[in-house]
Amino acid sequence: STPRTLIKYCFKLLDKFPEDTENLYYVFSMLSSLDKKTPLEKFVLYVERYLANDEKNKSIYLGLTYFRLFNFKKSIELLTNVLKSDPINPRCLLFLSLNHLLMGNEKDFINVSSMIIPTSDSLFMSVYFINCSFSGFDMDKKEFPNQKEISKSTSKLLDLLLKNEQFKVVEHILSSFKKMDYYSILPSLPFYFCETFILNNFLIKKK
């Protein structure tokens, strides 16, 4: 489907089931995949309007969306506010850690991501692998279940890092994954990384 059709479908879904807040995450994910600013700004207006009486979920979904709009200060403010009353909220912790990653705050990224209750979600698993690589955690060198989806998700995080010009963090991820031999656990990852680098016109010298 075309981006316009997808956007139309997303907001139709929200209008049809306004009480189902999980649809908000699905729509946020779909709109984020388009890499377009305008649909996400429209989503912000939707959340502010339809969740006006639900302060917690409003703050969560605004926090997620501002992260994707690279407004890290606003995103951190909103997510941190939710964590004051719900300190182990996994979605808030996940995106708070991603804010720190994209800002180049590796220490804060490790501290926050280490607090997340593990799930099988591919985005969480990407954060888990990056955390473990930075921490020098050795893993059993067997292909990981759902490794292809995790590889795609990890590559997408690298794409966001490149767009935010966090080249040192990208280099650290690459060197850490190589040092810990995570490519044997996620064999699809090098292919997705190469695709991301090509699309971003980012050249890496192979040693």
Side-chain angles (χ1 to χ4, degrees):
S1 61
T2 65
R4 184 176 293 181
T5 302
L6 179 60
I7 294 166
K8 188 176 180 180
Y9 166 78
C10 283
F11 285 101
K12 270 192 173 182
L13 177 67
L14 294 179
D15 287 336
K16 191 169 185 179
F17 303 102
E19 73 288 344
D20 189 345
T21 53
E22 271 306 301
N23 281 336
L24 288 167
Y25 188 70
Y26 172 79
V27 169
F28 162 74
S29 300
M30 290 298 100
L31 296 179
S32 295
S33 71
L34 298 174
D35 282 326
K36 293 181 182 295
K37 188 176 179 180
T38 303
L40 287 168
E41 290 175 335
K42 183 179 178 182
F43 185 67
V44 166
L45 296 176
Y46 182 96
V47 170
E48 288 177 336
R49 178 181 177 185
Y50 285 89
L51 295 182
N53 297 320
D54 185 351
E55 193 62 35
K56 179 180 177 179
N57 278 311
K58 183 177 77 170
S59 294
I60 290 173
Y61 288 102
L62 287 178
L64 268 57
T65 311
Y66 280 120
F67 159 77
R68 200 57 188 77
L69 289 168
F70 298 112
N71 187 339
F72 304 124
K73 183 178 179 180
K74 185 68 174 175
S75 177
I76 289 173
E77 178 186 332
L78 288 160
L79 297 175
T80 302
N81 191 50
V82 174
L83 289 167
K84 288 177 182 177
S85 58
D86 186 5
I88 59 171
N89 186 291
R91 196 161 282 167
C92 283
L93 289 172
L94 177 61
F95 280 86
L96 182 59
S97 73
L98 289 173
N99 272 289
H100 289 306
L101 183 67
L102 262 72
M103 292 172 70
N105 301 330
E106 292 185 18
K107 185 176 179 181
D108 289 331
F109 163 76
I110 292 172
N111 288 338
V112 175
S113 59
S114 297
M115 298 166 61
I116 306 171
I117 297 171
T119 72
S120 59
D121 176 74
S122 60
L123 180 56
F124 164 77
M125 292 307 303
S126 295
V127 166
Y128 173 75
F129 272 101
I130 294 172
N131 177 313
C132 290
S133 75
F134 286 174
S135 305
F137 183 75
D138 195 23
M139 295 189 190
D140 189 11
K141 301 304 184 291
K142 293 181 180 178
E143 184 173 319
F144 206 81
N146 200 29
Q147 69 87 18
K148 191 170 184 179
E149 289 305 312
I150 297 169
S151 296
K152 283 183 182 179
S153 180
T154 307
S155 180
K156 184 58 186 176
L157 290 181
L158 253 69
D159 178 64
L160 294 178
L161 284 163
L162 291 171
K163 285 181 167 59
N164 203 45
E165 299 185 349
Q166 289 292 344
F167 305 124
K168 287 185 179 180
V169 179
V170 170
E171 294 284 6
H172 191 189
I173 291 173
L174 294 176
S175 61
S176 298
F177 272 49
K178 183 178 181 180
K179 180 181 178 182
M180 304 310 299
D181 193 20
Y182 285 178
Y183 296 119
S184 63
I185 306 171
L186 304 171
S188 296
L189 193 54
F191 302 101
Y192 288 112
F193 276 3
C194 286
E195 181 182 47
T196 298
F197 296 143
I198 291 169
L199 290 173
N200 283 276
N201 198 27
F202 185 75
L203 302 178
I204 295 180
K205 293 180 181 178
K206 293 184 179 179
K207 296 183 180 179

